[in-house]
Each structure stands twice: as structure tokens, then as C-alpha cells.
Amino acid sequence: MRKLHEKSKITIQQSTSNPTEIILESISDGVFTVDSSWRITSFNRAAEEIMGIDREEAIGRLCSEVFRSSMCEVDCALRCTLETGIPIINRSAFIVDAGGRRIPISLSTALLRNERGQVIGGAETFRDLSLVEELRKELEGRFQAGDLVSRSTSMRRIFDVLPQVSASDSTVLIQGETGSGKELLARTLHNLSPRRNNPFVAINCGALPDTLLESELFGYKAGAFTGADKDKPGRFALAEGGTLFLDEIAEVSQALQIRLLRVLQERVYEPLGGTASVKANVRVIAATNRNLAAQVKKGAFRQDLYYRINVVRMDLPPLRKRKEDIPLLVEHFVSRFNRTQGKSIPGVSPQVMAFLMAHDYPGNIRELENIIEYAFVLCDQDRIELCHLPDEFIARDPLPSSAGEITTAIRTVEAQAIREALQRNRFNRLAAARELGMHKSTLFRKIKALGIILPEKDGRHRFEQ
């Protein structure tokens, strides 16, 4: 593969007189063209790398001999386009490369015309989806990606797009309340991305005064200001090849917003006191606990910068809107603190869980994490009990005074979570059980035990009508 890449570089240098060829050689999608007899007439660098076939070997051969796709024999996309004149966009398929490896792809087709508009063949572009497929398989059936854990429908939507967003290089805007896990999501995106072997650098833009934030982001040269004895690299330089996480982006001043806009537009910046521009190969993920669109309307945030960072937006729901995640998060934090503190605490008591489920968490996941960490300090062995929870937390909510009240509280929360899951799935019990992460027979048993009344027709009947 390396030889192919080096050879392709030489080919590009030799054919710099043709702008179209330069573009075709520079893109990451594979492209090949065929004439009217289905023989390959061109084969770009990315096609060589994806297929593992040298272009000299490919050109002149029948495309079915080289591009061994799952649809070649029965449903050739290029043949369909040549017969109907209608292009095909992003159809899923797989090909078998020279090494016999099965590669998932998305492909598009188009007619190839000469200068007089006559059809002289066809063109096919294809994109290697191996990484996306691997990430999707990794996330399938799981409610966890890195330290990100959930089983709620709202979070499930984020899990579903994680593979595609991670594999891309687009700027991401994460919006969510304080403590909802914005940096955790940013780290997960980085750890699942092709940049994962390079640095992840985070900076809280709201924690630093404007002048200090500027030097932190872009660095400075010796002599740029009093006390600048030597060059210092900024966060953009430290994140080179990796990901820069700009937390609390809404707090950045208008003057600094202009500098950030230039970096995102042109991918270059100048350190303080420097005269030469520095290229930035950094993926930017920004986050805020404010409604950034509303900030734009108020004139507090630049519209052009908003559109630059709002390429992909991910909204993190607050914990009070996904309480079904609390048991999963508690289990996750107990497991992590056992590992980091060398303890073997099995979990929390039912009374503690009832208390945790009844709270609204203005501090979101961070508040829940802090409660469990506090309990770990006081709890040496066995389960975490009410006596291990912070006093101010217990004082905030009414404490169930008897075992009966505690049991009632647990049943109420459990019934609420099941009813909401059933409603979201149009009372399809199998789908609701899948969403709740339990077997359908367990769900049936709980529905009966909790006295949950179901409609006469469940979600399956709508497909029968």
C-alpha cells in the first residue's frame, strides 16, 4: 500500500498540467471510468489504495474483473445509470479487494459525456466505509462508548451517529447544561476518530481573561510582551494532528471570535509577536451551556463563527430528562471508583437508589458522580447506604421514613420508566424491552407486578392495518 501511495505521488507530480487529474488524484474517494465496452479508462489514486490494485493493472480490463462488487452480477449500478441516464447516489454495497478483503462502501454513478454531449461511458465513485462499519459494530447492542453510558432514547440518537461523526473531520458543536457530559462526549468523539493517536487538548474559554486566552490558544514568541522570555506553543500547536476542545465557546469576546473564525476558515494562525502564519491541522469541537443561536440573535456571538462551528450539532439532554440512565451511571461510577481507589464495593442499597432516582440533579451527571465519589470516601465495604451520602444532598429531598415508603418510591420510579418506554415505542413491548435493556419476559412480569394497564392494541397492530 505504501508503494502504491508513493507511486501515486510521483504520478501526480508528472501530470500537474491537468487540473482535473490533480483534483481526482487528491480526493479520498475512489474514482474510475469505463468506456462503452465496460473497460476501465481511468483509475485514481484512492481507487488504487482502496482496491489494492495498481492503475496500470486496472486500466484496459473489464470493470467487473477489477471492481468486484456485491451488485456486479445482479444489480450493477453503473449499468443501471447507463441504461436509464439516472445517476445513483450513495448506494451501499461491498467490494472484494486484491487481498480478498470484504470492504463496505457507498458508491455513486454518473454518465460520462464528451464535449458534444454524447455518452461515451460511465463514471463511478466509491467511499471506503470500513472505519464507519467497525465503529458501528462496536456500538451495536451496547449502551456504552468509552465513558459515555446511557440507555435513554434521546442519548441513543447520539450513539447512532457517533460512528459517522467520529470518522469525519467536521467541526462539532455540543450543547448541553453544565455537568451534562460535554467534554466526555468530545473525548469519545476523539477516541473513536482517526485522530485518536494524537493529542486531545481541552481549554475552558470562560475560565480565562481575554488576553490570557489568546496567548493560551495561539502561543507567543519570545519578546511578545514583558515576561515572554522564550517561545511558548499554544493549544492549537499542542493539539496538532489531534482534537482541540473549546469549552464554553459562548464566553469568548468578539475580538477573539474574529481570530477563531480565521483559524476555522483558513486553517492558519499567528502566535502573539509572530510574523509568519502557522498551519493548524486540528479538529475543533466546541461546547456551550448556552443557546448559541439565541446568542447570535442578541448580537453576543458572531453569526459567521456560529455557522463555522455549527457544522454538526449534538444536544446533550440533562439527566432529569433521562432518569432511566441513573442506575446505569451509578453502576458505571461504582465500577470506576472501585478500580481507581482499589475497593470492591458491590453497589448501592435499594434505599440509596430510590433516593438517587427521586432527585432532579441541577448539576447533572457531574453531581451524581460527586455523590458517588463522596460515598466512596466514607464507605469501606459492602454496599453504599444512606449514611454514606452527603448531608446536604439528603436534606434537599424528603427522605422516605420507612421500608414501605422506600419500596413504594422504587416501584413508582420503575413504573414511570416502563410507561415512558412503552409510550415511546407505541406500546410495542418487545421494542420497549429492548430499549430498557431487559428481556421481554422480564418486562411482561414487571408490567403485571406494577399494575401497568396496556391498551388493547399494541405497537404491532399498526403494521397489520
Side-chain angles (χ1 to χ4, degrees):
M1 191 65 71
R2 188 176 178 181
K3 287 181 180 176
L4 274 175
H5 184 63
E6 290 173 351
K7 189 173 181 179
S8 298
K9 284 170 67 178
I10 295 169
T11 306
I12 294 172
Q13 290 166 356
Q14 289 173 341
S15 59
T16 50
S17 59
N18 189 331
T20 305
E21 283 187 23
I22 293 172
I23 293 170
L24 284 175
E25 293 301 316
S26 301
I27 62 177
S28 59
D29 286 1
V31 182
F32 71 87
T33 57
V34 298
D35 59 19
S36 56
S37 60
W38 297 97
R39 295 197 177 274
I40 293 175
T41 53
S42 67
F43 203 72
N44 77 338
R45 174 193 57 80
E48 286 184 310
E49 292 183 355
I50 296 171
M51 298 295 300
I53 297 175
D54 198 310
R55 75 182 64 190
E56 279 77 11
E57 187 184 339
I59 291 175
R61 292 172 63 187
L62 290 171
C63 69
S64 59
E65 295 176 358
V66 176
F67 194 73
R68 293 180 291 169
S69 155
S70 56
M71 58 179 66
C72 271
E73 296 180 359
V74 293
D75 187 25
C76 174
L78 196 52
R79 183 183 297 280
C80 181
T81 295
L82 285 171
E83 289 176 352
T84 64
I86 301 172
I88 289 174
I89 309 294
N90 290 335
R91 177 180 289 185
S92 297
F94 69 85
I95 54 176
V96 179
D97 69 4
R101 196 166 59 99
R102 188 177 183 273
I103 303 174
I105 59 166
S106 69
L107 62 83
S108 303
T109 60
L111 294 175
L112 197 62
R113 299 177 186 274
N114 62 16
E115 61 275 7
R116 288 174 291 179
Q118 297 169 323
V119 176
I120 57 172
E124 188 159 307
T125 65
F126 54 103
R127 177 169 297 177
D128 185 352
L129 298 179
S130 299
L131 180 60
V132 172
E133 194 63 21
E134 285 174 15
L135 294 173
R136 186 180 295 285
K137 284 180 181 175
E138 190 175 333
L139 293 172
E140 264 181 4
R142 288 210 280 156
F143 299 101
Q144 182 166 0
D147 279 342
L148 206 61
V149 291
S150 177
R151 63 172 36 139
S152 74
T153 304
S154 53
M155 285 296 291
R156 188 71 192 182
R157 284 194 286 272
I158 292 177
F159 277 76
D160 285 343
V161 300
L162 266 181
Q164 292 94 331
V165 178
S166 302
S168 82
D169 228 14
S170 300
T171 305
V172 177
L173 173 62
I174 302 172
Q175 290 193 152
E177 293 182 4
T178 299
S180 57
K182 296 187 288 295
E183 183 168 344
L184 202 59
L185 176 57
R187 284 186 182 276
T188 303
L189 286 169
H190 172 75
N191 291 334
L192 293 174
S193 78
R195 294 175 176 268
R196 58 182 169 273
N197 294 324
N198 294 311
F200 174 90
V201 177
I203 183 168
N204 188 327
C205 300
L208 299 170
D210 209 35
T211 50
L212 186 54
L213 179 60
E214 187 175 13
S215 66
E216 279 294 316
L217 285 172
F218 305 112
Y220 55 79
K221 294 290 185 183
F225 49 84
T226 304
D229 299 327
K230 57 182 180 181
D231 293 357
K232 181 188 174 187
R235 303 297 175 102
F236 273 98
L238 294 174
E240 181 65 16
T243 302
L244 179 61
F245 176 57
L246 301 175
D247 199 7
E248 306 299 349
I249 187 75
E251 311 308 317
V252 173
S253 71
Q254 292 271 346
L256 201 49
Q257 286 177 30
I258 296 172
R259 292 205 65 182
L260 281 174
L261 179 65
R262 179 163 182 252
V263 182
L264 293 174
Q265 279 182 335
E266 302 173 23
R267 298 288 168 185
V268 294
Y269 66 92
E270 289 87 31
L272 293 178
T275 54
S277 296
V278 179
K279 287 187 178 179
N281 173 21
V282 173
R283 184 190 195 183
V284 172
I285 299 177
T288 179
N289 60 2
R290 294 175 185 261
N291 183 331
L292 215 51
Q295 293 295 105
V296 172
K297 284 183 181 176
K298 286 164 53 180
F301 199 83
R302 291 182 64 94
Q303 188 176 47
D304 43 11
L305 179 58
Y306 171 69
Y307 286 120
R308 274 289 167 187
I309 62 175
N310 190 27
V311 179
V312 178
R313 198 179 86 192
M314 306 179 88
D315 293 318
L316 275 173
L319 187 53
R320 65 178 176 278
K321 291 187 177 177
R322 50 183 180 110
K323 285 194 170 181
E324 62 268 39
D325 281 347
I326 291 174
L328 202 63
L329 288 164
V330 169
E331 182 186 331
H332 174 70
F333 292 137
V334 167
S335 174
R336 192 213 293 169
F337 290 132
N338 272 332
R339 193 170 59 249
T340 57
Q341 298 187 19
K343 294 187 175 181
S344 54
I345 293 172
V348 304
S349 69
Q351 293 92 334
V352 169
M353 183 59 76
F355 219 93
L356 295 173
M357 293 290 286
H359 188 53
D360 270 345
Y361 296 96
N364 283 295
I365 297 173
R366 190 176 300 147
E367 182 182 359
L368 175 61
E369 182 181 7
N370 289 346
I371 291 169
I372 301 298
E373 185 172 5
Y374 177 94
F376 256 73
V377 174
L378 300 184
C379 184
D380 290 328
Q381 55 187 1
D382 212 354
R383 297 181 307 185
I384 294 173
E385 300 289 348
L386 287 174
C387 61
H388 300 128
L389 299 184
D391 292 338
E392 64 272 19
F393 172 68
I394 291 177
R396 214 178 294 167
D397 296 297
L399 180 66
S401 57
S402 67
E405 287 184 21
I406 291 169
T407 303
T408 302
I410 294 173
R411 285 172 61 88
T412 301
V413 171
E414 195 172 26
Q416 181 185 351
I418 291 174
R419 281 197 194 94
E420 289 176 356
L422 285 166
Q423 286 169 357
R424 281 194 296 269
N425 291 282
R426 297 173 182 269
F427 290 93
N428 184 317
R429 280 159 276 185
L430 182 59
R434 194 179 297 128
E435 180 189 320
L436 291 166
M438 63 176 69
H439 193 272
K440 61 181 181 181
S441 60
T442 306
L443 178 63
F444 294 161
R445 192 171 61 251
K446 285 182 177 291
I447 288 172
K448 187 177 179 182
L450 295 168
I452 297 172
I453 299 173
L454 298 173
E456 292 183 4
K457 293 182 177 180
D458 65 21
R460 292 170 297 181
H461 289 81
R462 64 194 178 96
F463 299 110
E464 297 169 1
Q465 293 171 350

